[in-house]
Amino acid sequence: MTLDPNRFTRKTQEALSAAQSLAREQNNTQVAPEHILVALLSQPEGVVLPVLERIGVSPKTVTDQARAAVKALPSVYGTTTQEAALAREAFALLESAD
């Protein structure tokens, strides 16, 4: 199955853009599911925060853990770095969500 970005909601497109920016800021070569999670948790009008609150999970705890997971990802420095590509795991995540 091929992912069609035109089928993504506006919030999903915003989250993917934010995830790519985060990967670039952290010098990661790929956009991983962890980047997407941090981006989704950063959307105050999104659905993730209310769902976490409804099930009794602290959004701050999840956010802290997700940010720690991003910091643990491999980083690359230097002039040879390129735009972060979507990791295989992130692609699979988006495919499953679709």
Side-chain angles (χ1 to χ4, degrees), residues 42-79:
S42 299
Q43 292 180 330
E45 299 89 27
V47 298
V48 175
L49 296 176
V51 167
L52 289 174
E53 290 169 354
R54 180 170 282 175
I55 63 172
V57 175
S58 166
K60 182 182 178 338
T61 300
V62 175
T63 300
D64 291 346
Q65 291 175 345
R67 288 188 184 280
V70 166
K71 288 192 182 296
L73 294 171
S75 299
V76 175
Y77 299 91
T79 58

Side-chain angles (χ1 to χ4, degrees), residues 3 16 20 29-32 36 84-92 94:
L3 283 179
L16 290 175
Q20 188 167 39
T29 59
Q30 294 186 323
V31 177
I36 297 171
L86 197 60
R88 181 177 42 83
E89 296 86 356
F91 183 83
L94 293 172

